[in-house]
Amino acid sequence: MFLAVRAARPRGVSPVSETQDPHVSPSADAVKFVYDFTEGNKDLKDLLGGKGANLAEMTNLGLPVPPGFTITTEACKEYLESGEEPAALRAEVTAHLDALERQMGKKLGQADNPLLVSVRSGAKFSMPGMMDTVLNIGLSDESVNGLAEQAGSERFAWDSYRRLIQMFGKTVLGVDGDLFEEALDEAKKAKGVKVDVELDAADMKKLVGQFKEIVSKETKRDFPQDPREQMDLAVRAVFDSWNTDRAKLYRRQERIPGDLGTAVNVCSMVFGNLGPDSGTGVAFTRDPASGHQGVYGDYLQNAQGEDVVAGIRNTVPLAELEQLDKKSYDELMQIMETLETHYKDLCDIEFTIERGKLWMLQTRVGKRTAGAAFRIATQLVDQGLIDEAEALQRVNGAQLAQLMFPRFDEKAKTELLGRGIAASPGAAVGKAVFDSYTAVKWSRSGEKVILIRRETNPDDLNGMISAEGILTSRGGKTSHAAVVARGMGKTCVCGAEELEVDTKRRCLTAPGGVVIEEGDVVSIDGSTGKVYLGEVPVVPSPVVEYFEGRMHAGADDADELVKAVHRVMAYADRVRRLRVRANADNAEDAARARRFGAQGIGLCRTEHMFLGERREMVERLILADTGEEREAALSELLPLQKGDFVELFESMDGLPVTVRLLDPPLHEFLPDITELSVRVALAESRKDSNENDLRLLQAVHRLHEQNPMLGLRGVRLGLVIPGLFAMQVRAIAEAAAERRAANGDPRAEIMIPLVGTVQELEIVREEAEQVIAEVERAHGVDLGLTLGTMIELPRAALTAGQIAESADFFSFGTNDLTQTVWGFSRDDVEASFFTAYLEKGIFGVSPFETIDKDGVGSLVRNAAEAGRATRPDLKLGVCGEHGGDPESVHFFHEVGLDYVSCSPFRIPVARLEAGRAAAESKGSDSR
Ligand code: ADP
Ligand code: MG
Ligand code: MG
């Protein structure tokens, strides 16, 4: 995504290209750096930033927006690259400023009747760390008097001027903002008043003097009196703010490309601080938490800009504006409706009322909670504003996944300790521990623990595995803690910088001074980043209750969220082309998968069927010296395996079940080499060595591998241990026959792992077909079994055309394929250096989380094509963890697979994303 964005934004053409005839005016070809609000629209966010594009859109809708213009991101990019404003910019700004002055009938900073403007940053994505808006630009020692006259209020004029010096001093000139705040507090104290509106003109005048002194002292220069200089400096400061540390950090965390640049908006001022008939406010067109329609917002009389959200005075709920100023209120309601209908979505807005006249200062499609996203999508469908396909684009799998985690009871009383970055969702409660060793020790004795570290590193891995959740005070969404926790599906809050972690003293200090010692209970919310003192009760997610069938969307008392999720899922199921199957190894998982909407099993691993009590039989199989011994061991295993399959086919009756024959290396079924060596050595020293242990040790040595992942496993096992695969195939066939006899509808598919060449598959196939034919003859049925292979080695993908000659289906094993294509051993690389790779931007997300489209993905695409060229009816699926990853699901849709298979819990996410992918590609086809 990172690269795509870059590639899609061509560099601007230079204003005068070399090939151009110098006599022809360059303006025809030159880049345009400045757009009047009347010239833009909401689709120009790349160029005008979000704020500028939406100001233009509102202007063109005929809404009351104070006139102004936007300097483009292209100008910013040139400035950032060359360190200077592009040559053409100054003249263009002058032309637009002239036009604005003519329109307003006043000149910027003019002594008797000044035009004032605000300078506002606005990138494509809003981000912290960008320059704060500077209001009232154009005021000076002279024009402040003009403003007083114009407005008929000395106090207002001097208040505006002191605000300018304060904002400009802090954000443009870099003066410590506290110095101004302290002076303001002093003034209030001296006068014995509490809030700034109680200061009069003389007080403000005095403050202006003090503020100017602060600026001179701190910056060794006077506050600039030239209005154009004020404006130009502010514009430049906005450009510079693109590269503040906070902005850079945020972009890295959110994977926003570093070279987009920001636009700058110059907007003529309107004043909410002109008295009680003026004010400023913020509003949502509907509740961003629930989606309910209504009047949501805050209003503050006699105030400017951010006053309303700064908490300096008490705001009133927006509904009260109706009493204060009915005309403006009614107009605002009208505008909010216009905006919702126009944007067809929840909008948030900023407005100002100047002496009874309403002005719109900002709007954008508002952020919302995951739950509200689903509700709003269905509400908008009901209102006829969007169709079902569009509703699918308004939600996503990550939001659905968030709604499926258990959560803290909202009604519970909580004590917030602090907050960090929501790195891996979930609600975890446990006793605080400050090192990995204690985490492991305590959890072994049955305690639930939260591992608290400043940062984690590979040494913390065992502690992270034993903990309920992980809390760190440092690091962002790509820190070691965050990456590893997400990989494990563990709750994690990271980068909670306000919490001071002292691992030596084993304690954590919260901002309020509360100290958490080892053993104290804390609760962490990985969906919000909040950290609480004590145990917050956890409730199951109603969405999971619904998927489990314990709550019905049709019921009268059904949760509104559940109803919305139910409807959106129905839209997705209706349009999606990809089928969704589950990775499930036992009847219980299979049953849950079915409740969650699985259309079969895409991967049933058989290895667990060889563990537990059956391990001894496997040992006998491996140690067998003669064919008889081996046969004996296999015939012991056969009925047990068959029993497993009967259950599984029953719970997936009528749906396909892909059974993968044994995959892992044999040593996994044998005792640990060190343990066994010690046992044998001890026995020898006591002179009572056990014959079996000795043989076992020899076998362990014989089977010991340097790289088990690349050793004797998968189809290779089936080829060197006579009878093993035949036994598994027989168990499957007999189970199917038994289900048939019971009037069931088993649909088994036999899958051969780790095939690299068609010859391997041919040999296995021949043997399997014989076994199946035998079973079919014995029972007098046609079982309709199919036989296919995993594609999980590069060689298999590269020779897929040949392999398809012997395969009825392919299932892409993208976990192993990723390991083998990259040469990564997942367990090793994730813990040791993935963090470094993510931080350096080598990849944006782990290729084990989201499919690497260019590498692994291109093998998948080519193998799918080659396979289908050989066998047009070849069934294609994927059974790696990518099958449940939103972005990967879109990719699999696009390359034309038939199904994805994922863990039961991810099935709803895969269904939703498969629907979104289908709706999206339909939309782009018809465009
Ligand atoms: P942010 O991105 O932080 O919301 P804004 O550019 O929207 O910054 O401006 C900060 C505050 O100043 C907002 O309350 C906004 O409504 C107000 N504001 C911005 N420009 C003007 C203007 N020209 N006249 C009056 N208020 C303004
Ligand atoms: Mg704003
Ligand atoms: Mg594999």
Side-chain angles (χ1 to χ4, degrees):
M1 180 210 145
F2 196 82
L3 290 175
V5 174
R6 262 192 202 170
R9 296 268 335 121
R11 289 286 331 281
V13 198
S14 64
V16 185
S17 78
E18 285 164 65
T19 53
Q20 221 168 15
D21 181 339
H23 301 292
V24 176
S25 150
S27 64
D29 231 28
V31 201
K32 184 170 155 60
F33 286 124
V34 184
Y35 284 68
D36 190 85
F37 287 169
T38 54
E39 291 177 301
N41 65 61
K42 68 174 164 44
D43 301 322
L44 292 180
K45 291 197 181 70
D46 284 328
L47 192 63
L48 303 179
K51 199 180 283 171
N54 287 323
L55 280 168
E57 188 77 13
M58 286 200 290
T59 303
N60 292 323
L61 277 174
L63 303 186
V65 177
F69 53 85
T70 303
I71 300 170
T72 65
T73 53
E74 288 296 327
C76 175
K77 280 194 238 180
E78 288 221 17
Y79 169 82
L80 291 173
E81 269 163 38
S82 68
E84 270 173 62
E85 285 83 357
L89 182 61
R90 189 173 172 85
E92 261 192 81
V93 169
T94 304
H96 278 86
L97 184 58
D98 284 349
L100 184 63
E101 289 174 340
R102 274 196 305 279
Q103 185 183 356
M104 305 298 289
K106 1 179 179 176
K107 283 194 176 306
L108 184 69
Q110 179 181 325
D112 54 351
N113 186 23
L115 167 68
L116 305 185
V117 297
S118 61
V119 171
R120 321 165 65 184
S121 65
K124 176 176 183 184
F125 306 102
S126 76
M127 59 183 85
M130 301 293 296
M131 194 188 86
D132 286 340
T133 293
V134 180
L135 303 175
N136 308 334
I137 283 190
L139 277 177
S140 62
D141 294 350
E142 267 189 86
S143 63
V144 67
N145 298 311
L147 183 68
E149 204 145 311
Q150 195 186 57
S153 166
E154 285 262 323
R155 186 202 174 273
F156 156 73
W158 287 95
D159 178 42
S160 302
Y161 193 21
R162 72 93 192 161
R163 285 172 187 265
L164 170 65
I165 303 169
Q166 185 170 0
M167 284 185 264
F168 193 94
K170 183 175 162 201
T171 58
V172 180
L173 301 175
V175 178
D176 179 1
D178 287 345
L179 297 173
F180 300 113
E181 287 298 341
E182 281 157 19
L184 184 61
D185 284 344
E186 269 314 305
K188 284 190 272 190
K189 221 195 268 159
K191 194 160 188 181
V193 299
K194 286 229 165 60
V195 290
D196 57 346
V197 280
E198 294 172 290
L199 296 175
D200 63 18
D203 299 322
M204 290 297 176
K205 220 178 218 171
K206 212 166 118 205
L207 270 177
V208 164
Q210 289 172 347
F211 282 10
K212 285 200 316 201
E213 259 169 45
I214 293 173
V215 168
S216 306
K217 187 158 158 256
E218 296 294 313
T219 67
K220 311 275 176 277
R221 60 164 293 177
D222 290 339
F223 176 75
Q225 291 291 318
D226 175 1
R228 178 64 194 264
E229 190 190 355
Q230 290 174 1
M231 191 175 104
D232 290 343
L233 285 173
V235 170
R236 171 176 283 207
V238 173
F239 288 163
D240 284 332
S241 73
W242 178 256
N243 280 328
T244 58
D245 289 344
R246 258 180 82 202
K248 282 202 275 197
L249 181 70
Y250 182 82
R251 289 199 293 270
R252 243 199 341 259
Q253 282 168 359
E254 299 298 317
R255 314 260 138 233
I256 297 172
D259 60 355
L260 298 178
T262 178
V264 189
N265 303 289
V266 176
C267 181
S268 49
M269 283 302 301
V270 290
F271 300 99
N273 52 338
L274 268 171
D277 56 352
S278 306
T280 174
V282 291
F284 291 96
T285 55
R286 55 180 84 206
D287 184 352
S290 73
H292 286 297
Q293 270 182 305
V295 190
Y296 296 92
D298 299 294
Y299 182 70
L300 186 62
Q301 266 177 298
N302 197 9
Q304 189 170 47
E306 307 276 72
D307 291 357
V308 63
V309 289
I312 53 165
R313 276 183 278 142
N314 286 340
T315 59
V316 299
L318 187 58
E320 282 182 30
L321 179 62
E322 190 170 15
Q323 273 86 57
L324 295 172
D325 182 349
K326 175 102 169 78
K327 183 175 139 283
S328 298
Y329 177 82
D330 289 344
E331 190 183 355
L332 183 65
M333 292 300 123
Q334 190 68 50
I335 288 174
M336 280 170 41
E337 201 181 316
T338 306
L339 286 175
E340 264 230 345
T341 328
H342 184 72
Y343 282 86
K344 300 179 167 50
D345 208 343
L346 157 84
C347 294
D348 77 18
I349 60 179
E350 291 173 7
F351 65 93
T352 279
I353 296 174
E354 176 179 317
R355 293 197 167 143
K357 163 94 182 95
L358 175 69
W359 293 99
M360 299 300 296
L361 289 168
Q362 189 173 333
T363 192
R364 64 187 159 193
V365 168
K367 295 209 168 77
R368 66 208 68 189
T369 62
F374 279 83
R375 290 196 224 176
I376 292 174
T378 53
Q379 287 161 2
L380 294 171
V381 170
D382 291 339
Q383 284 175 259
L385 285 174
I386 60 173
D387 61 12
E388 295 182 358
E390 179 59 28
L392 283 174
Q393 304 310 315
R394 298 293 176 86
V395 295
N396 61 51
Q399 289 168 330
L400 182 60
Q402 223 184 65
L403 294 174
M404 290 177 68
F405 281 101
R407 37 172 116 150
F408 288 129
D409 188 351
E410 278 166 19
K411 292 182 205 94
K413 261 181 66 190
T414 54
E415 186 174 336
L416 188 68
L417 285 174
R419 60 194 310 168
I421 296 164
S424 179
V429 183
K431 291 188 171 169
V433 293
F434 293 86
D435 66 313
S436 194
Y437 176 78
T438 315
V440 174
K441 203 171 80 184
W442 289 22
S443 84
R444 285 225 176 108
S445 62
E447 299 277 13
K448 292 190 165 166
V449 300
I450 303 287
L451 178 64
I452 305 178
R453 304 282 292 159
R454 220 170 275 177
E455 304 174 84
T456 59
N457 63 45
D459 294 338
D460 292 314
L461 211 60
N462 287 330
M464 295 175 76
I465 293 169
S466 344
E468 297 297 306
I470 297 124
L471 168 63
T472 67
S473 59
R474 299 256 187 84
K477 272 191 177 164
T478 58
S479 63
H480 179 267
V483 172
V484 176
R486 271 202 301 279
M488 294 191 225
K490 226 159 239 174
T491 303
C492 175
V493 172
C494 64
E497 301 201 356
E498 55 189 20
L499 302 178
E500 216 176 283
V501 173
D502 188 336
T503 45
K504 279 219 186 75
R505 289 191 38 237
R506 294 167 182 272
C507 68
L508 169 154
T509 313
V514 181
V515 178
I516 303 295
E517 313 262 3
E518 188 171 81
D520 292 348
V521 175
V522 290
S523 302
I524 63 172
D525 188 335
S527 314
T528 61
K530 288 186 183 162
V531 181
Y532 302 98
L533 178 65
E535 177 177 346
V536 180
V538 172
V539 291
S541 138
V543 173
V544 169
E545 297 289 286
Y546 154 71
F547 284 126
E548 285 284 12
R550 290 194 285 260
M551 189 184 275
H552 293 279
D556 287 344
D557 62 344
D559 188 296
E560 265 185 71
L561 172 61
V562 164
K563 284 185 186 165
V565 168
H566 173 74
R567 286 176 60 188
V568 173
M569 292 307 288
Y571 305 157
D573 287 342
R574 216 171 294 150
V575 293
R576 73 187 154 92
R577 189 186 52 70
L578 274 179
R579 298 172 77 78
V580 176
R581 298 196 195 177
N583 296 349
D585 306 346
N586 55 53
E588 193 189 323
D589 279 358
R592 155 176 281 182
R594 222 178 160 150
R595 291 195 295 276
F596 279 29
Q599 295 160 293
I601 289 180
L603 175 64
C604 164
R605 303 175 182 88
T606 52
E607 31 274 19
H608 78 97
M609 301 173 182
F610 289 76
L611 295 173
E613 297 157 2
R614 304 180 192 177
R615 196 179 210 134
E616 262 174 51
M617 300 172 199
V618 180
E619 276 181 18
R620 278 203 286 283
L621 174 67
I622 298 171
L623 299 179
D625 284 331
T626 66
E628 278 144 37
E629 277 175 22
R630 193 164 35 238
E631 282 302 319
L634 285 171
S635 51
E636 268 186 302
L637 281 164
L638 177 68
L640 300 173
Q641 282 255 284
K642 182 183 147 190
D644 297 329
F645 296 135
V646 169
E647 274 182 30
L648 203 62
F649 296 160
E650 190 175 354
S651 56
M652 273 288 159
D653 197 59
L655 294 174
V657 175
T658 309
V659 181
R660 181 181 72 185
L661 304 188
L662 195 64
D663 183 36
L666 280 183
H667 75 85
E668 287 198 10
F669 301 100
L670 294 178
D672 178 72
I673 192 165
T674 352
E675 238 168 67
L676 189 61
S677 306
V678 171
R679 196 158 83 209
V680 168
L682 279 175
E684 263 169 6
S685 69
R686 286 197 305 267
K687 306 236 177 329
D688 65 349
S689 39
N690 172 323
E691 176 72 11
N692 200 49
D693 277 358
L694 276 173
R695 281 178 67 199
L696 208 51
L697 185 60
Q698 271 169 3
V700 174
H701 275 297
R702 180 161 40 84
L703 293 169
H704 180 76
E705 293 174 321
Q706 296 299 331
N707 284 306
M709 185 187 109
L710 302 175
L712 179 61
R713 50 173 283 218
V715 67
R716 303 162 191 174
L717 270 181
L719 292 172
V720 301
I721 302 195
L724 175 65
F725 275 10
M727 182 277 290
Q728 290 201 287
V729 171
R730 186 176 297 277
I732 295 168
E734 287 190 352
E738 189 176 316
R739 287 295 306 146
R740 275 296 181 78
N743 281 325
D745 182 11
R747 306 209 177 162
E749 303 173 333
I750 299 167
M751 180 156 80
I752 315 300
L754 216 73
V755 163
T757 164
V758 68
Q759 281 87 351
E760 291 168 323
L761 192 58
E762 278 168 356
I763 298 173
V764 173
R765 181 173 198 103
E766 206 176 315
E767 187 187 23
E769 280 176 346
Q770 271 176 21
V771 172
I772 295 166
E774 268 174 47
V775 175
E776 288 183 332
R777 257 198 315 277
H779 293 267
V781 282
D782 174 3
L783 294 171
L785 296 175
T786 59
L787 202 134
T789 180
M790 307 242 337
I791 301 287
E792 52 187 338
L793 291 176
R795 193 180 190 288
L798 293 167
T799 60
Q802 291 169 7
I803 291 180
E805 283 167 14
S806 239
D808 302 316
F809 63 86
F810 284 174
S811 177
F812 291 95
T814 50
N815 294 350
D816 270 335
L817 194 56
T818 302
Q819 296 204 86
T820 50
V821 166
W822 282 85
F824 281 160
S825 150
R826 180 172 186 176
D827 292 340
D828 296 321
V829 297
E830 280 194 333
S832 64
F833 65 83
F834 258 33
T835 329
Y837 265 42
L838 288 162
E839 266 166 13
K840 290 183 196 303
I842 293 171
F843 29 68
V845 241
S846 156
F848 291 107
E849 260 178 64
T850 295
I851 189 137
D852 147 39
K853 290 180 201 150
D854 297 339
V856 179
S858 114
L859 278 181
V860 170
R861 185 193 300 269
N862 293 338
E865 271 168 26
R868 284 223 169 109
T870 300
R871 186 186 284 244
D873 64 346
L874 185 73
K875 209 196 271 184
L876 298 173
V878 60
C879 63
E881 276 164 56
H882 300 100
D885 167 67
E887 214 177 308
S888 310
V889 170
H890 285 246
F891 177 77
F892 298 134
H893 168 88
E894 187 202 313
V895 300
L897 302 193
D898 297 303
Y899 70 86
V900 295
S901 187
C902 56
S903 70
F905 218 68
R906 300 293 293 178
I907 286 169
V909 171
R911 281 164 58 201
L912 177 64
E913 290 293 350
R916 298 187 63 227
E920 199 173 70
S921 57
K922 262 195 204 133
S924 61
D925 287 350
S926 60
R927 235 171 257 149

